[in-house]
Amino acid sequence: MQFLHVMARCCLARTITVVSLTVSLSAVGLPASSCHLLYPLLQPLTEVAYSVYPAHWFHLYSVNMSSYYDSKEKSHHSKALTSPYPGSSVERSKVPSDKVGWLVEWKDYSPVEYTAASILAGPKWADPQISDKHFSLKFNEKDGQVERRSLSGLYKVENGRPRNPVGRTGLVGRGLLGRWGPNHAADPIITRWKRDKSSSKIAHPVSGKNILQFVGIKRKDCGEWAIPGGMVDPGEKISATLKREFSEEALNSLQKSAAEIKELEKQLDKLFNQEHLVVYKGYVDDPRNTDNAWLETEAVNCHDESGETMDNLPLEAGDDAGKVKWVDISEKLKLYANHSHFIKLVAEKRGAHWIEEPVTDCQK
């Protein structure tokens, strides 16, 4: 018994060390590009944690951290600097790449103020202006049914306004986003193997790996291809958002009869109740982001191994989607925001084709 008590105290101390170090790094806003420098320090601690607790407790942590270590993307956002701002003629203040991070002092920084008229009109899903004295927002916590906690950890609030955790965007206000601070979304990545007429999997002629396909939509607002995702409603579970957004944008459920919707839901339950993979949770490099409002998402992969379930779900564009189709996955994909990165993570996890490099003997 004494041995168990000693082990428990030891494990607790080590776990607190891991958590404390992680929180400390988040608090100082360490750039993602610097994380690899700390990996040798963090790795022994995470190995201790893994040796003590069940692996599935750390599933989301391991997926997110590996995307930081392995990613070759820039440590700062780029699409969030898009100008003019989407759906307007408003030009952002130019932000040099070396001044994106908040840790870099920039006394002359003068961002443009912009919140779209459609947001100022006060739709029920949007926050009021910060200046509204009859309304008080609770940042970094759950505010009633509205989730104001960030997937990236605590964010700073300056002069009553939340600050984008990644850095400057050249624009303050909310732009087209309804919420101050994090605007939570969910992205269902529905995949299957590409098959020939005899139902055999098709391998890429160069890489030799099987080709994976995902359901993609062409957005009506910008004309770019994307994952059929959307915003999480207040109080809604992520699982419900994933299913709802996919059915609305890729199956046109909003235009279906009650009987058709009942059949769709039966097939969707089969698809979404299968084992799924949480590919990414965190900040999205989205052109709608501002210094005070930004997109965050949970990207989840539901894979139809046999393809039979999706055979019973005919694709039909609806809601925000202009077109919908099965898209072959490869590095050549050009998708909205950083959706290509999510798709790459799925391909790697599934061992599917991504890049046109031949498989060597040592990789087999």
Side-chain angles (χ1 to χ4, degrees):
M1 184 65 70
Q2 184 177 3
F3 173 77
L4 292 177
H5 284 307
V6 173
M7 285 298 293
R9 288 197 299 270
C10 180
C11 293
L12 178 60
R14 289 172 177 172
T15 303
I16 290 174
T17 301
V18 175
V19 174
S20 299
L21 182 55
T22 303
V23 171
S24 298
L25 294 177
S26 300
V28 299
L30 188 68
S33 61
S34 302
C35 288
H36 72 280
L37 299 175
L38 294 165
Y39 185 69
L41 176 61
L42 288 171
Q43 184 61 16
L45 296 175
T46 55
E47 287 176 356
V48 168
Y50 269 106
S51 68
V52 176
Y53 295 104
H56 67 271
W57 288 16
F58 293 88
H59 173 66
L60 298 183
Y61 174 80
S62 63
V63 170
N64 289 340
M65 292 304 286
S66 66
S67 69
Y68 278 111
Y69 296 144
D70 301 336
S71 175
K72 295 181 181 178
E73 295 184 14
K74 298 177 181 178
S75 59
H76 58 76
H77 45 214
S78 56
K79 293 190 177 182
L81 302 175
T82 299
S83 197
Y85 186 87
S88 76
S89 58
V90 177
E91 295 284 344
R92 296 177 188 264
S93 295
K94 291 185 178 180
V95 180
S97 59
D98 62 342
K99 285 188 170 63
V100 170
W102 296 109
L103 294 180
V104 178
E105 186 177 4
W106 188 9
K107 294 181 179 179
D108 295 330
Y109 179 52
S110 181
V112 175
E113 174 88 32
Y114 175 67
T115 299
S118 59
I119 302 300
L120 293 176
K124 63 180 182 179
W125 46 266
D127 292 333
Q129 286 292 82
I130 293 289
S131 58
D132 188 341
K133 297 181 180 179
H134 301 290
F135 197 82
S136 177
L137 302 179
K138 298 177 181 178
F139 295 117
N140 284 307
E141 61 181 283
K142 192 163 185 179
D143 188 4
Q145 291 295 308
V146 180
E147 182 57 81
R148 300 194 190 278
R149 290 172 293 188
S150 170
L151 295 170
S152 302
L154 295 177
Y155 51 87
K156 195 169 183 179
V157 179
E158 289 185 337
N159 300 318
R161 291 187 175 193
R163 193 177 75 174
N164 188 311
V166 171
R168 301 178 177 94
T169 67
L171 190 145
V172 294
R174 284 177 289 163
L176 288 168
L177 299 178
R179 304 289 180 195
W180 293 98
N183 287 252
H184 293 283
D187 290 307
I189 305 173
I190 310 303
T191 57
R192 71 177 185 185
W193 296 110
K194 186 175 185 178
R195 298 176 184 272
D196 58 23
K197 293 181 179 179
S198 63
S199 296
S200 298
K201 296 178 183 178
I202 299 177
H204 192 273
V206 178
S207 70
K209 295 182 177 181
N210 293 328
I211 298 174
L212 198 63
Q213 297 179 311
F214 82 101
V215 176
I217 62 162
K218 189 173 185 180
R219 296 174 60 106
K220 288 181 179 179
D221 57 356
C222 62
E224 293 185 80
W225 284 90
I227 298 165
M231 307 308 297
V232 179
D233 291 337
E236 185 178 38
K237 292 183 178 180
I238 292 293
S239 57
T241 307
L242 292 166
K243 188 184 298 185
R244 173 174 56 78
E245 287 295 333
F246 183 74
S247 64
E248 290 176 0
E249 297 189 349
L251 304 175
N252 197 22
S253 61
L254 294 177
Q255 302 300 319
K256 302 293 184 182
S257 66
E260 290 174 321
I261 290 176
K262 186 176 182 180
E263 182 57 32
L264 279 180
E265 289 180 345
K266 188 186 301 182
Q267 297 301 324
L268 283 172
D269 285 340
K270 289 183 182 179
L271 177 65
F272 283 88
N273 287 337
Q274 296 182 49
E275 182 181 357
H276 57 271
L277 170 68
V278 178
V279 177
Y280 179 86
K281 290 180 72 173
Y283 181 87
V284 179
D285 182 15
D286 192 286
R288 294 169 291 178
N289 291 352
T290 74
D291 284 10
N292 309 124
W294 60 91
L295 262 295
E296 295 190 6
T297 196
E298 182 168 330
V300 179
N301 175 220
C302 293
H303 180 64
D304 186 9
E305 179 64 27
S306 67
E308 295 177 358
T309 301
M310 286 306 301
D311 285 344
N312 296 318
L313 287 170
L315 300 181
E316 182 181 349
D319 198 23
D320 299 326
K323 294 181 181 180
V324 60
K325 68 176 182 178
W326 285 102
V327 181
D328 289 359
I329 292 177
S330 79
E331 64 171 337
K332 297 179 181 179
L333 284 176
K334 302 296 181 184
L335 302 178
Y336 179 78
N338 54 347
H339 288 191
S340 293
H341 179 57
F342 304 160
I343 297 297
K344 178 185 178 182
L345 293 176
V346 172
E348 291 176 344
K349 182 66 178 180
R350 301 289 177 188
H353 167 72
W354 174 254
I355 189 170
E356 293 188 7
E357 290 182 349
V359 178
T360 61
D361 290 338
C362 62
Q363 292 176 313
K364 292 180 180 179

